[in-house]
Amino acid sequence: MQSSSTGFIGLLTAVTVLLLCPTHGLAAEPADDENPFNTPELQVPPPDEAVLNFVDSRTIQSLNGTWNLIVDPMDMGAPGSIFGGWATTRTPVDEWQLLEYSYPVARKVQVPGDFNTQFDDLFFYRDSVWYQRSVNTAIKPGSRYHLWFGGANYTTTVFLNGVPLGRQVGGYVPFAIDVTEHLRPGANDLVINVNNRLGEHSVPTQRTDWWPYGGLTRDVMLVETPQAFIVNAKATLSRDRESIHVALYTRGLAAGSPVAVAIPELAVEQQGQVDAEGRAVFQISAVPELWSPASPRLYDVRYRAGDDVVVDRVGFRTIETRGQSVLLNGEPIRFRGISTHEEPIGRDGAAHSHADMERLFGEAKALGANFVRAAHYPYSRHAARVADEMGLLLWAEVPIYWNIAWQNPDTLAVARDQLERLVTRDWSRASVVIWSVANETPYSPARMRFLEQLIDGLRSADDSRLISAALLGDTRRELSAVALHLAAYGVDNPEATARERAIFAAVLERAGEAAPAIGSRFDLVIDDPLGALVDIVSYNQYFGWYYARGLAPALGVSERTVRKLMLSFMGHIRISSAFDKPLHISEFGAGAKAGRRGEGVWTEDYQADVYRAQLTMLANSPQVVGMTPWILKDFRAMLRPLGGVQDYRNRKGLVDENGRRKQAFFVLRDFYAGPWGSNRPEVESD
Ligand code: GCB
């Protein structure tokens, strides 16, 4: 044992010398770790802190297309590892060179695109892969070069010419690395490790009701800028709608350098100077035509700093709350919404293009929606652009979902990073009216502290939108009240069997004074203390779907009976919140397999019945100013294995994966076209 291990270490030392030899071009050092079978821990810096925006208005070299892909479940392909990392060439120099992680002979993968849906054997894969391609580029003196990623899931480590240059932890958000000092004229070797493994401390955690699509899921490009350049800018309308606030963020400009902003269609041009942080702030008197779903007017906004010029297309609007109303451009509005996942219609996998989003959001428009809840994570930059163009209001969200390691500062850092990158990318998008910081996070003091810090940071970064979170009710308390009401409905109801009616009679007798009369109103009041921190209280509820599953065995009656009684009872539920704020129903829904008709769960008929009952209930709830039923399209979910029905898809879509509309689509469309869907008169608080 001893001698073979010494022999191996000796060999490793020889390789170390080889790796360090400058003529071989690999600067990465093997780890100090004595055990050669460990994957070395590489020290990799994070990507550039600020989001590099406006890539679409710059000179870029697209790195989309065909890449080489090595699947590496043992995660041994890193430079410095005895398996993958010994390679100093991509193809063996001759028949004597042992090369196991060889990219040219590896499978080919398309970028952008998740790897799970490009290969049958990677469908459920949640681990490490290596992407490689050569980047041929000319280098212009005086330019800077940035490797830019629209988003990659979940941990992404970028190696250029063998040097680890940046590691982004967290999917769904853009990041860039300034590679100017490492890029060579001619061919460059770009290797990227992407690992979509999630854990207890990640954001989200390993359990989600959506597919954790892995890989280079969005556009990749090499972006060229001048030495001094505009990193980002923000243009928003003031509350009084008489001026435009502009903030410009630059890098490489000396304090006092001139910058300018122009909106040609408003005949506006203003000069300014950057401060020591490279920032310039403008307040421009202007009364633009307002952006709204009815009239999604956009303006070119031109920013100049030194030799750098970028153009953005911006809409101007205000969004605020007054009492229990939401006002868009000062007028009360109802959110006729629908929830989505970032999956295209007609193709499996993650959506990643303007066209994908146009098709998906086009279906929301066809429903009569003016609002989309883009759940449960930041979408690509195309989403808010398409929404700006189409006139759809957007709810954007970070994946703080169900369980999060509330006590872990590293988890908080990732959550903050997600939120900051999302917000700073989209803060000039008129369509985005809500930032949502959490979905169904059970109450705990640690959760409150975590979210309070995020919300504080968010308010100082952007005060031109509303903040929300999709809350859970106090389900146990609600369900026992619901059980009593169902008993009142069931006690004389022919839908219930004689035995069930006897059970209901016993339940009511035991309740005594507390027994409700049939048809009496049930007030469900949301009082999660997180409601105090947000601008608009949002609530997910599944009356008509999940709740029956727990109530039936608890009462000792059939699920069929509970479902039938529930649909009648829902018309007598009124949902409100303990806060004098607008209330949004962020989810409700039911599963149906497209084409399945008749009685029972999974039928289009039952899904449509649930929608009818829900819409009656919500129309009877005056505090409700908006809703985003769950969900526009059936979506991939590992949590949904039911053979022949789900087959790893959540079936709560109003359309199936190919866009086939279910009955409930038309129920909701008619409702949105009716009286509720018109912009409501203001609701005064009590
Ligand atoms: C929820 C979650 C959502 C799920 C949905 C469902 O409450 O927020 O992510 O997909 O329910 O279908 O159960």
mmCIF file with all atom_site columns, all heavy atoms in Angstrom, residues 504-526:
data_model
loop_
_atom_site.group_PDB
_atom_site.id
_atom_site.type_symbol
_atom_site.label_atom_id
_atom_site.label_alt_id
_atom_site.label_comp_id
_atom_site.label_asym_id
_atom_site.label_entity_id
_atom_site.label_seq_id
_atom_site.pdbx_PDB_ins_code
_atom_site.Cartn_x
_atom_site.Cartn_y
_atom_site.Cartn_z
_atom_site.occupancy
_atom_site.B_iso_or_equiv
_atom_site.pdbx_formal_charge
_atom_site.auth_seq_id
_atom_site.auth_comp_id
_atom_site.auth_asym_id
_atom_site.auth_atom_id
_atom_site.pdbx_PDB_model_num
ATOM 1   N N   . PHE A 1 504 ? -71.539 14.293 10.155 1.00 0.00 ? 504 PHE A N   1
ATOM 2   C CA  . PHE A 1 504 ? -71.650 15.761 10.159 1.00 0.00 ? 504 PHE A CA  1
ATOM 3   C C   . PHE A 1 504 ? -72.509 16.225 11.340 1.00 0.00 ? 504 PHE A C   1
ATOM 4   O O   . PHE A 1 504 ? -72.192 17.221 12.000 1.00 0.00 ? 504 PHE A O   1
ATOM 5   C CB  . PHE A 1 504 ? -72.248 16.263 8.839  1.00 0.00 ? 504 PHE A CB  1
ATOM 6   C CG  . PHE A 1 504 ? -71.318 16.079 7.651  1.00 0.00 ? 504 PHE A CG  1
ATOM 7   C CD1 . PHE A 1 504 ? -71.809 15.653 6.414  1.00 0.00 ? 504 PHE A CD1 1
ATOM 8   C CD2 . PHE A 1 504 ? -69.955 16.340 7.776  1.00 0.00 ? 504 PHE A CD2 1
ATOM 9   C CE1 . PHE A 1 504 ? -70.949 15.494 5.323  1.00 0.00 ? 504 PHE A CE1 1
ATOM 10  C CE2 . PHE A 1 504 ? -69.101 16.183 6.680  1.00 0.00 ? 504 PHE A CE2 1
ATOM 11  C CZ  . PHE A 1 504 ? -69.597 15.749 5.455  1.00 0.00 ? 504 PHE A CZ  1
ATOM 12  N N   . ALA A 1 505 ? -73.591 15.498 11.620 1.00 0.00 ? 505 ALA A N   1
ATOM 13  C CA  . ALA A 1 505 ? -74.474 15.878 12.738 1.00 0.00 ? 505 ALA A CA  1
ATOM 14  C C   . ALA A 1 505 ? -73.687 15.822 14.049 1.00 0.00 ? 505 ALA A C   1
ATOM 15  O O   . ALA A 1 505 ? -73.796 16.724 14.895 1.00 0.00 ? 505 ALA A O   1
ATOM 16  C CB  . ALA A 1 505 ? -75.678 14.942 12.784 1.00 0.00 ? 505 ALA A CB  1
ATOM 17  N N   . ALA A 1 506 ? -72.864 14.781 14.184 1.00 0.00 ? 506 ALA A N   1
ATOM 18  C CA  . ALA A 1 506 ? -72.076 14.633 15.425 1.00 0.00 ? 506 ALA A CA  1
ATOM 19  C C   . ALA A 1 506 ? -71.059 15.767 15.553 1.00 0.00 ? 506 ALA A C   1
ATOM 20  O O   . ALA A 1 506 ? -70.850 16.322 16.642 1.00 0.00 ? 506 ALA A O   1
ATOM 21  C CB  . ALA A 1 506 ? -71.382 13.269 15.429 1.00 0.00 ? 506 ALA A CB  1
ATOM 22  N N   . VAL A 1 507 ? -70.442 16.139 14.414 1.00 0.00 ? 507 VAL A N   1
ATOM 23  C CA  . VAL A 1 507 ? -69.437 17.217 14.431 1.00 0.00 ? 507 VAL A CA  1
ATOM 24  C C   . VAL A 1 507 ? -70.105 18.519 14.881 1.00 0.00 ? 507 VAL A C   1
ATOM 25  O O   . VAL A 1 507 ? -69.590 19.247 15.740 1.00 0.00 ? 507 VAL A O   1
ATOM 26  C CB  . VAL A 1 507 ? -68.808 17.387 13.026 1.00 0.00 ? 507 VAL A CB  1
ATOM 27  C CG1 . VAL A 1 507 ? -68.008 18.683 12.917 1.00 0.00 ? 507 VAL A CG1 1
ATOM 28  C CG2 . VAL A 1 507 ? -67.925 16.189 12.690 1.00 0.00 ? 507 VAL A CG2 1
ATOM 29  N N   . LEU A 1 508 ? -71.301 18.769 14.346 1.00 0.00 ? 508 LEU A N   1
ATOM 30  C CA  . LEU A 1 508 ? -71.989 20.028 14.682 1.00 0.00 ? 508 LEU A CA  1
ATOM 31  C C   . LEU A 1 508 ? -72.426 20.033 16.145 1.00 0.00 ? 508 LEU A C   1
ATOM 32  O O   . LEU A 1 508 ? -72.326 21.047 16.839 1.00 0.00 ? 508 LEU A O   1
ATOM 33  C CB  . LEU A 1 508 ? -73.198 20.219 13.768 1.00 0.00 ? 508 LEU A CB  1
ATOM 34  C CG  . LEU A 1 508 ? -72.855 20.471 12.294 1.00 0.00 ? 508 LEU A CG  1
ATOM 35  C CD1 . LEU A 1 508 ? -74.118 20.512 11.440 1.00 0.00 ? 508 LEU A CD1 1
ATOM 36  C CD2 . LEU A 1 508 ? -72.076 21.782 12.131 1.00 0.00 ? 508 LEU A CD2 1
ATOM 37  N N   . GLU A 1 509 ? -72.857 18.871 16.602 1.00 0.00 ? 509 GLU A N   1
ATOM 38  C CA  . GLU A 1 509 ? -73.306 18.799 17.994 1.00 0.00 ? 509 GLU A CA  1
ATOM 39  C C   . GLU A 1 509 ? -72.145 19.072 18.941 1.00 0.00 ? 509 GLU A C   1
ATOM 40  O O   . GLU A 1 509 ? -72.248 19.831 19.897 1.00 0.00 ? 509 GLU A O   1
ATOM 41  C CB  . GLU A 1 509 ? -73.902 17.424 18.248 1.00 0.00 ? 509 GLU A CB  1
ATOM 42  C CG  . GLU A 1 509 ? -74.782 17.421 19.474 1.00 0.00 ? 509 GLU A CG  1
ATOM 43  C CD  . GLU A 1 509 ? -75.301 16.020 19.748 1.00 0.00 ? 509 GLU A CD  1
ATOM 44  O OE1 . GLU A 1 509 ? -75.825 15.400 18.814 1.00 0.00 ? 509 GLU A OE1 1
ATOM 45  O OE2 . GLU A 1 509 ? -75.122 15.571 20.895 1.00 0.00 ? 509 GLU A OE2 1
ATOM 46  N N   . ARG A 1 510 ? -71.004 18.476 18.601 1.00 0.00 ? 510 ARG A N   1
ATOM 47  C CA  . ARG A 1 510 ? -69.812 18.683 19.442 1.00 0.00 ? 510 ARG A CA  1
ATOM 48  C C   . ARG A 1 510 ? -69.402 20.163 19.438 1.00 0.00 ? 510 ARG A C   1
ATOM 49  O O   . ARG A 1 510 ? -68.948 20.704 20.432 1.00 0.00 ? 510 ARG A O   1
ATOM 50  C CB  . ARG A 1 510 ? -68.649 17.818 18.937 1.00 0.00 ? 510 ARG A CB  1
ATOM 51  C CG  . ARG A 1 510 ? -67.770 17.352 20.088 1.00 0.00 ? 510 ARG A CG  1
ATOM 52  C CD  . ARG A 1 510 ? -66.692 16.352 19.655 1.00 0.00 ? 510 ARG A CD  1
ATOM 53  N NE  . ARG A 1 510 ? -67.140 15.384 18.674 1.00 0.00 ? 510 ARG A NE  1
ATOM 54  C CZ  . ARG A 1 510 ? -66.510 15.125 17.528 1.00 0.00 ? 510 ARG A CZ  1
ATOM 55  N NH1 . ARG A 1 510 ? -65.416 15.787 17.203 1.00 0.00 ? 510 ARG A NH1 1
ATOM 56  N NH2 . ARG A 1 510 ? -66.950 14.216 16.697 1.00 0.00 ? 510 ARG A NH2 1
ATOM 57  N N   . ALA A 1 511 ? -69.596 20.829 18.303 1.00 0.00 ? 511 ALA A N   1
ATOM 58  C CA  . ALA A 1 511 ? -69.195 22.247 18.208 1.00 0.00 ? 511 ALA A CA  1
ATOM 59  C C   . ALA A 1 511 ? -70.127 23.137 19.023 1.00 0.00 ? 511 ALA A C   1
ATOM 60  O O   . ALA A 1 511 ? -69.757 24.241 19.425 1.00 0.00 ? 511 ALA A O   1
ATOM 61  C CB  . ALA A 1 511 ? -69.184 22.688 16.760 1.00 0.00 ? 511 ALA A CB  1
ATOM 62  N N   . GLY A 1 512 ? -71.333 22.672 19.283 1.00 0.00 ? 512 GLY A N   1
ATOM 63  C CA  . GLY A 1 512 ? -72.291 23.433 20.110 1.00 0.00 ? 512 GLY A CA  1
ATOM 64  C C   . GLY A 1 512 ? -72.539 24.808 19.521 1.00 0.00 ? 512 GLY A C   1
ATOM 65  O O   . GLY A 1 512 ? -72.893 24.954 18.353 1.00 0.00 ? 512 GLY A O   1
ATOM 66  N N   . GLU A 1 513 ? -72.313 25.827 20.328 1.00 0.00 ? 513 GLU A N   1
ATOM 67  C CA  . GLU A 1 513 ? -72.534 27.231 19.940 1.00 0.00 ? 513 GLU A CA  1
ATOM 68  C C   . GLU A 1 513 ? -71.735 27.611 18.700 1.00 0.00 ? 513 GLU A C   1
ATOM 69  O O   . GLU A 1 513 ? -72.155 28.445 17.905 1.00 0.00 ? 513 GLU A O   1
ATOM 70  C CB  . GLU A 1 513 ? -72.055 28.154 21.074 1.00 0.00 ? 513 GLU A CB  1
ATOM 71  C CG  . GLU A 1 513 ? -72.799 27.991 22.375 1.00 0.00 ? 513 GLU A CG  1
ATOM 72  C CD  . GLU A 1 513 ? -74.018 28.894 22.389 1.00 0.00 ? 513 GLU A CD  1
ATOM 73  O OE1 . GLU A 1 513 ? -73.834 30.108 22.571 1.00 0.00 ? 513 GLU A OE1 1
ATOM 74  O OE2 . GLU A 1 513 ? -75.139 28.365 22.163 1.00 0.00 ? 513 GLU A OE2 1
ATOM 75  N N   . ALA A 1 514 ? -70.539 27.009 18.588 1.00 0.00 ? 514 ALA A N   1
ATOM 76  C CA  . ALA A 1 514 ? -69.639 27.388 17.485 1.00 0.00 ? 514 ALA A CA  1
ATOM 77  C C   . ALA A 1 514 ? -70.101 26.833 16.143 1.00 0.00 ? 514 ALA A C   1
ATOM 78  O O   . ALA A 1 514 ? -69.540 27.175 15.100 1.00 0.00 ? 514 ALA A O   1
ATOM 79  C CB  . ALA A 1 514 ? -68.223 26.899 17.785 1.00 0.00 ? 514 ALA A CB  1
ATOM 80  N N   . ALA A 1 515 ? -71.144 25.988 16.138 1.00 0.00 ? 515 ALA A N   1
ATOM 81  C CA  . ALA A 1 515 ? -71.579 25.380 14.871 1.00 0.00 ? 515 ALA A CA  1
ATOM 82  C C   . ALA A 1 515 ? -72.166 26.455 13.955 1.00 0.00 ? 515 ALA A C   1
ATOM 83  O O   . ALA A 1 515 ? -73.069 27.192 14.357 1.00 0.00 ? 515 ALA A O   1
ATOM 84  C CB  . ALA A 1 515 ? -72.612 24.299 15.155 1.00 0.00 ? 515 ALA A CB  1
ATOM 85  N N   . PRO A 1 516 ? -71.645 26.581 12.733 1.00 0.00 ? 516 PRO A N   1
ATOM 86  C CA  . PRO A 1 516 ? -72.160 27.622 11.840 1.00 0.00 ? 516 PRO A CA  1
ATOM 87  C C   . PRO A 1 516 ? -73.463 27.169 11.178 1.00 0.00 ? 516 PRO A C   1
ATOM 88  O O   . PRO A 1 516 ? -73.710 25.975 11.045 1.00 0.00 ? 516 PRO A O   1
ATOM 89  C CB  . PRO A 1 516 ? -71.055 27.748 10.785 1.00 0.00 ? 516 PRO A CB  1
ATOM 90  C CG  . PRO A 1 516 ? -70.378 26.417 10.789 1.00 0.00 ? 516 PRO A CG  1
ATOM 91  C CD  . PRO A 1 516 ? -70.568 25.794 12.142 1.00 0.00 ? 516 PRO A CD  1
ATOM 92  N N   . ALA A 1 517 ? -74.274 28.142 10.761 1.00 0.00 ? 517 ALA A N   1
ATOM 93  C CA  . ALA A 1 517 ? -75.484 27.804 10.012 1.00 0.00 ? 517 ALA A CA  1
ATOM 94  C C   . ALA A 1 517 ? -75.098 27.614 8.554  1.00 0.00 ? 517 ALA A C   1
ATOM 95  O O   . ALA A 1 517 ? -74.137 28.231 8.081  1.00 0.00 ? 517 ALA A O   1
ATOM 96  C CB  . ALA A 1 517 ? -76.490 28.940 10.124 1.00 0.00 ? 517 ALA A CB  1
ATOM 97  N N   . ILE A 1 518 ? -75.845 26.779 7.856  1.00 0.00 ? 518 ILE A N   1
ATOM 98  C CA  . ILE A 1 518 ? -75.564 26.570 6.437  1.00 0.00 ? 518 ILE A CA  1
ATOM 99  C C   . ILE A 1 518 ? -75.719 27.911 5.692  1.00 0.00 ? 518 ILE A C   1
ATOM 100 O O   . ILE A 1 518 ? -76.646 28.667 5.960  1.00 0.00 ? 518 ILE A O   1
ATOM 101 C CB  . ILE A 1 518 ? -76.477 25.470 5.837  1.00 0.00 ? 518 ILE A CB  1
ATOM 102 C CG1 . ILE A 1 518 ? -76.123 25.282 4.367  1.00 0.00 ? 518 ILE A CG1 1
ATOM 103 C CG2 . ILE A 1 518 ? -77.947 25.795 5.997  1.00 0.00 ? 518 ILE A CG2 1
ATOM 104 C CD1 . ILE A 1 518 ? -76.707 24.041 3.764  1.00 0.00 ? 518 ILE A CD1 1
ATOM 105 N N   . GLY A 1 519 ? -74.748 28.194 4.826  1.00 0.00 ? 519 GLY A N   1
ATOM 106 C CA  . GLY A 1 519 ? -74.817 29.438 4.052  1.00 0.00 ? 519 GLY A CA  1
ATOM 107 C C   . GLY A 1 519 ? -74.264 30.639 4.793  1.00 0.00 ? 519 GLY A C   1
ATOM 108 O O   . GLY A 1 519 ? -74.233 31.737 4.254  1.00 0.00 ? 519 GLY A O   1
ATOM 109 N N   . SER A 1 520 ? -73.832 30.455 6.062  1.00 0.00 ? 520 SER A N   1
ATOM 110 C CA  . SER A 1 520 ? -73.271 31.615 6.761  1.00 0.00 ? 520 SER A CA  1
ATOM 111 C C   . SER A 1 520 ? -71.867 31.888 6.241  1.00 0.00 ? 520 SER A C   1
ATOM 112 O O   . SER A 1 520 ? -71.176 30.986 5.775  1.00 0.00 ? 520 SER A O   1
ATOM 113 C CB  . SER A 1 520 ? -73.260 31.398 8.271  1.00 0.00 ? 520 SER A CB  1
ATOM 114 O OG  . SER A 1 520 ? -72.442 30.304 8.583  1.00 0.00 ? 520 SER A OG  1
ATOM 115 N N   . ARG A 1 521 ? -71.490 33.148 6.340  1.00 0.00 ? 521 ARG A N   1
ATOM 116 C CA  . ARG A 1 521 ? -70.228 33.536 5.729  1.00 0.00 ? 521 ARG A CA  1
ATOM 117 C C   . ARG A 1 521 ? -69.035 33.092 6.572  1.00 0.00 ? 521 ARG A C   1
ATOM 118 O O   . ARG A 1 521 ? -69.075 33.142 7.798  1.00 0.00 ? 521 ARG A O   1
ATOM 119 C CB  . ARG A 1 521 ? -70.199 35.049 5.569  1.00 0.00 ? 521 ARG A CB  1
ATOM 120 C CG  . ARG A 1 521 ? -69.129 35.471 4.592  1.00 0.00 ? 521 ARG A CG  1
ATOM 121 C CD  . ARG A 1 521 ? -69.259 36.922 4.281  1.00 0.00 ? 521 ARG A CD  1
ATOM 122 N NE  . ARG A 1 521 ? -68.678 37.718 5.343  1.00 0.00 ? 521 ARG A NE  1
ATOM 123 C CZ  . ARG A 1 521 ? -68.894 39.011 5.485  1.00 0.00 ? 521 ARG A CZ  1
ATOM 124 N NH1 . ARG A 1 521 ? -69.700 39.637 4.664  1.00 0.00 ? 521 ARG A NH1 1
ATOM 125 N NH2 . ARG A 1 521 ? -68.313 39.672 6.459  1.00 0.00 ? 521 ARG A NH2 1
ATOM 126 N N   . PHE A 1 522 ? -67.988 32.673 5.897  1.00 0.00 ? 522 PHE A N   1
ATOM 127 C CA  . PHE A 1 522 ? -66.740 32.332 6.593  1.00 0.00 ? 522 PHE A CA  1
ATOM 128 C C   . PHE A 1 522 ? -65.706 33.374 6.210  1.00 0.00 ? 522 PHE A C   1
ATOM 129 O O   . PHE A 1 522 ? -65.387 33.543 5.035  1.00 0.00 ? 522 PHE A O   1
ATOM 130 C CB  . PHE A 1 522 ? -66.286 30.935 6.179  1.00 0.00 ? 522 PHE A CB  1
ATOM 131 C CG  . PHE A 1 522 ? -64.903 30.590 6.670  1.00 0.00 ? 522 PHE A CG  1
ATOM 132 C CD1 . PHE A 1 522 ? -64.589 30.631 8.020  1.00 0.00 ? 522 PHE A CD1 1
ATOM 133 C CD2 . PHE A 1 522 ? -63.899 30.231 5.776  1.00 0.00 ? 522 PHE A CD2 1
ATOM 134 C CE1 . PHE A 1 522 ? -63.303 30.309 8.482  1.00 0.00 ? 522 PHE A CE1 1
ATOM 135 C CE2 . PHE A 1 522 ? -62.620 29.908 6.217  1.00 0.00 ? 522 PHE A CE2 1
ATOM 136 C CZ  . PHE A 1 522 ? -62.332 29.954 7.573  1.00 0.00 ? 522 PHE A CZ  1
ATOM 137 N N   . ASP A 1 523 ? -65.194 34.078 7.208  1.00 0.00 ? 523 ASP A N   1
ATOM 138 C CA  . ASP A 1 523 ? -64.180 35.099 6.947  1.00 0.00 ? 523 ASP A CA  1
ATOM 139 C C   . ASP A 1 523 ? -62.803 34.527 7.184  1.00 0.00 ? 523 ASP A C   1
ATOM 140 O O   . ASP A 1 523 ? -62.476 34.156 8.307  1.00 0.00 ? 523 ASP A O   1
ATOM 141 C CB  . ASP A 1 523 ? -64.399 36.295 7.878  1.00 0.00 ? 523 ASP A CB  1
ATOM 142 C CG  . ASP A 1 523 ? -65.307 37.302 7.228  1.00 0.00 ? 523 ASP A CG  1
ATOM 143 O OD1 . ASP A 1 523 ? -64.936 37.821 6.157  1.00 0.00 ? 523 ASP A OD1 1
ATOM 144 O OD2 . ASP A 1 523 ? -66.412 37.528 7.782  1.00 0.00 ? 523 ASP A OD2 1
ATOM 145 N N   . LEU A 1 524 ? -62.046 34.480 6.134  1.00 0.00 ? 524 LEU A N   1
ATOM 146 C CA  . LEU A 1 524 ? -60.673 33.993 6.269  1.00 0.00 ? 524 LEU A CA  1
ATOM 147 C C   . LEU A 1 524 ? -59.767 35.227 6.279  1.00 0.00 ? 524 LEU A C   1
ATOM 148 O O   . LEU A 1 524 ? -59.761 35.991 5.309  1.00 0.00 ? 524 LEU A O   1
ATOM 149 C CB  . LEU A 1 524 ? -60.368 33.102 5.072  1.00 0.00 ? 524 LEU A CB  1
ATOM 150 C CG  . LEU A 1 524 ? -59.118 32.267 5.123  1.00 0.00 ? 524 LEU A CG  1
ATOM 151 C CD1 . LEU A 1 524 ? -59.252 31.116 4.158  1.00 0.00 ? 524 LEU A CD1 1
ATOM 152 C CD2 . LEU A 1 524 ? -57.888 33.061 4.782  1.00 0.00 ? 524 LEU A CD2 1
ATOM 153 N N   . VAL A 1 525 ? -59.066 35.429 7.373  1.00 0.00 ? 525 VAL A N   1
ATOM 154 C CA  . VAL A 1 525 ? -58.274 36.653 7.517  1.00 0.00 ? 525 VAL A CA  1
ATOM 155 C C   . VAL A 1 525 ? -56.788 36.298 7.553  1.00 0.00 ? 525 VAL A C   1
ATOM 156 O O   . VAL A 1 525 ? -56.347 35.528 8.400  1.00 0.00 ? 525 VAL A O   1
ATOM 157 C CB  . VAL A 1 525 ? -58.672 37.409 8.807  1.00 0.00 ? 525 VAL A CB  1
ATOM 158 C CG1 . VAL A 1 525 ? -57.902 38.727 8.906  1.00 0.00 ? 525 VAL A CG1 1
ATOM 159 C CG2 . VAL A 1 525 ? -60.175 37.652 8.841  1.00 0.00 ? 525 VAL A CG2 1
ATOM 160 N N   . ILE A 1 526 ? -56.050 36.847 6.624  1.00 0.00 ? 526 ILE A N   1
ATOM 161 C CA  . ILE A 1 526 ? -54.612 36.553 6.567  1.00 0.00 ? 526 ILE A CA  1
ATOM 162 C C   . ILE A 1 526 ? -53.881 37.490 7.514  1.00 0.00 ? 526 ILE A C   1
ATOM 163 O O   . ILE A 1 526 ? -53.990 38.713 7.389  1.00 0.00 ? 526 ILE A O   1
ATOM 164 C CB  . ILE A 1 526 ? -54.093 36.724 5.129  1.00 0.00 ? 526 ILE A CB  1
ATOM 165 C CG1 . ILE A 1 526 ? -54.764 35.681 4.255  1.00 0.00 ? 526 ILE A CG1 1
ATOM 166 C CG2 . ILE A 1 526 ? -52.590 36.570 5.029  1.00 0.00 ? 526 ILE A CG2 1
ATOM 167 C CD1 . ILE A 1 526 ? -55.336 36.273 3.048  1.00 0.00 ? 526 ILE A CD1 1
#
